[in-house]
């Protein structure tokens, strides 16, 4: 079984900086990659802020925070990942973008290294096929926000070998996370269940059954969900929600997965949720205000 001591993370956004955070806290050396220094600086600022909050809540010590930050190095080139034992890609949920990353990564990565995707819906078998090591390719899908969520889905492609699976499972355990093993079907387990529920909530809004506040309150108070489905959609990113629903609709050819036209309209408007300051809520003021 491959020993994972040095981790590469492609993408310093919400998922990437969260994975770097928990890996560094677990004692791994981490190389965080993104295309610009500004994105890397922003990712590190988020990591430092989240670690500082953990210190304030007495979850970790100040010494642990400092040690974790020292374990993270930054690179704006894939060449900086050349000696990593495992590289996890956390790019946008677009297959063509991911395939290009893997093509370029394989050219610099050492032959024995494992490649993983944090994709929340795209076929691991198909992504693996565009690399030079499909047997050392696996899906490692973290939940958001990574430092708080206990679950990681592991998804084997058709070619993923046992040693890769066992190394990935050991890596996830080292981070203090729990594994759920999913077959390589569109959206895997969590999003196969969660995203159609969110999509149905958007249909409920679209058809005028309830407004944003009523729908979210109904699910929080009536089903004890910690966040309403529309609030959760904004947190995930409406573009990501749409991408996952498109993968489900195309991959399973079932009309029940058809993305709600209102979701499509919001994404076309650039109203992507929290990250763009507008979605089903407007976040530009002192408190979120429903947009419908």
């Amino acid at each position: 079984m491959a020993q994972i001591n040095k981790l590469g993370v492609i993408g310093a956004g919400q998922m990437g900086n969260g994975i770097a955070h928990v890996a560094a806290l677990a004692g791994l050396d981490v190389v965080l990659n993104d295309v610009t220094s500004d994105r890397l600086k922003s990712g590190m600022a988020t990591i430092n802020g989240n670690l500082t909050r953990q210190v304030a809540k007495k979850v970790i010590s100040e010494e642990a925070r400092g040690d974790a930050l020292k374990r993270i190095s930054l690179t704006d080139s894939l060449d900086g990942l050349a000696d990593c034992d495992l590289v996890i890609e956390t790019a946008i949920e677009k297959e063509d973008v991911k395939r290009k990353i893997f093509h370029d990564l394989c050219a610099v990565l050492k032959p024995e290294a494992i490649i993983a995707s944090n994709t929340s819906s795209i076929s691991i078998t198909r992504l693996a096929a565009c690399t030079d090591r499909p047997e050392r390719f696996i899906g490692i899908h973290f939940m958001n926000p990574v430092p708080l969520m206990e679950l990681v889905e592991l998804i084997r492609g058709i070619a993923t070998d046992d040693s890769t699976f066992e190394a990935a499972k050991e890596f996830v355990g080292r981070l203090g996370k729990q594994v759920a093993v999913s077959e390589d079907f569109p959206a895997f387990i969590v999003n196969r269940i969660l995203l159609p529920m969110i999509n149905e909530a958007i249909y409920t809004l679209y058809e005028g059954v309830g407004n944003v506040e009523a729908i979210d309150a109904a699910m929080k108070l009536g089903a004890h969900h910690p966040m309403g489905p529309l609030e959760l959609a904004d947190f995930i990113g409406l573009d990501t929600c749409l991408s996952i629903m498109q993968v489900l609709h195309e991959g399973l050819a079932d009309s029940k997965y058809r993305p709600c036209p209102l979701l499509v309209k919001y994404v076309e408007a650039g109203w992507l949720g929290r990250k763009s300051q507008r979605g089903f809520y407007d976040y530009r003021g002192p408190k979120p205000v429903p947009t419908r």
Side-chain angles (χ1 to χ4, degrees):
M1 186 175 71
Q3 185 67 35
I4 297 168
N5 295 310
K6 189 168 188 177
L7 173 70
V9 180
I10 298 176
Q14 198 169 40
M15 297 305 296
N17 70 56
I19 295 169
H21 172 147
V22 297
L25 265 184
L28 281 84
D29 292 326
V30 180
V31 183
L32 185 60
N33 163 265
D34 213 312
V35 293
T36 69
S37 59
D38 285 346
R39 290 188 186 183
L40 289 168
K41 288 175 184 175
S42 176
M44 282 302 298
T46 299
I47 292 169
N48 187 36
N50 289 338
L51 287 168
T52 299
R53 274 190 286 276
Q54 287 182 306
V55 173
K57 293 178 181 178
K58 298 183 170 22
V59 175
I60 63 172
S61 66
E62 176 60 32
E63 182 182 10
R65 183 191 74 87
D67 288 345
L69 289 173
K70 289 174 186 174
R71 292 189 189 104
I72 302 173
S73 59
L74 307 177
T75 179
D76 60 5
S77 169
L78 292 178
D79 291 339
L81 305 173
D83 63 344
C84 290
D85 304 307
L86 166 66
V87 176
I88 303 176
E89 164 274 318
T90 71
I92 188 171
E93 196 71 353
K94 297 290 184 184
E95 186 167 343
D96 57 340
V97 173
K98 293 179 185 294
R99 290 171 72 92
K100 173 67 164 59
I101 288 170
F102 294 135
H103 175 271
D104 294 345
L105 177 64
C106 287
V108 302
L109 203 58
K110 62 187 181 182
E112 65 272 22
I114 295 171
I115 301 176
S117 177
N118 185 60
T119 179
S120 52
S121 62
I122 299 169
S123 166
I124 298 303
T125 296
R126 203 161 60 237
L127 291 175
C130 75
T131 74
D132 63 356
R133 63 196 75 202
E135 71 285 352
R136 289 192 294 281
F137 192 102
I138 192 167
I140 304 181
H141 178 217
F142 288 83
M143 305 295 122
N144 185 33
V146 179
L148 297 180
M149 301 297 280
E150 302 93 343
L151 183 72
V152 175
E153 288 180 318
L154 285 186
I155 309 99
R156 297 176 74 149
I158 196 170
T160 307
D161 65 23
D162 290 342
S163 64
T164 297
F165 175 78
E166 292 300 330
K169 188 175 178 182
E170 191 274 337
F171 164 73
V172 171
R174 187 172 172 184
L175 303 186
K177 307 293 186 184
Q178 298 295 313
V179 166
V181 178
S182 171
E183 293 296 321
D184 189 18
F185 286 98
F188 317 130
I189 296 172
V190 172
N191 284 326
R192 173 76 176 265
I193 298 167
L194 178 64
L195 264 296
M197 184 273 287
I198 290 175
N199 194 54
E200 191 62 27
I202 300 170
Y203 266 114
T204 305
L205 177 66
Y206 177 61
E207 294 169 3
V209 180
N211 62 22
V212 168
E213 286 183 302
I215 292 166
D216 277 351
M219 294 307 292
K220 284 191 284 188
L221 301 177
H224 276 198
H225 289 193
M227 298 172 71
L230 302 176
E231 182 186 5
L232 179 57
D234 276 357
F235 181 74
I236 293 169
L238 302 191
D239 53 339
T240 300
C241 292
L242 178 58
S243 293
I244 295 169
M245 288 308 303
Q246 288 169 333
V247 167
L248 280 166
H249 191 219
E250 293 165 9
L252 299 173
D254 192 322
S255 62
K256 73 180 180 180
Y257 298 116
R258 182 172 71 96
C260 179
L262 185 60
L263 173 60
V264 176
K265 182 181 288 188
Y266 269 57
V267 173
E268 289 176 343
W271 291 21
L272 308 181
R274 286 180 177 270
K275 61 186 172 186
S276 67
Q277 295 297 295
R278 278 194 292 186
F280 293 111
Y281 293 86
D282 189 326
Y283 299 92
R284 295 174 296 175
K287 70 174 190 174
V289 178
T291 54
R292 290 180 78 91

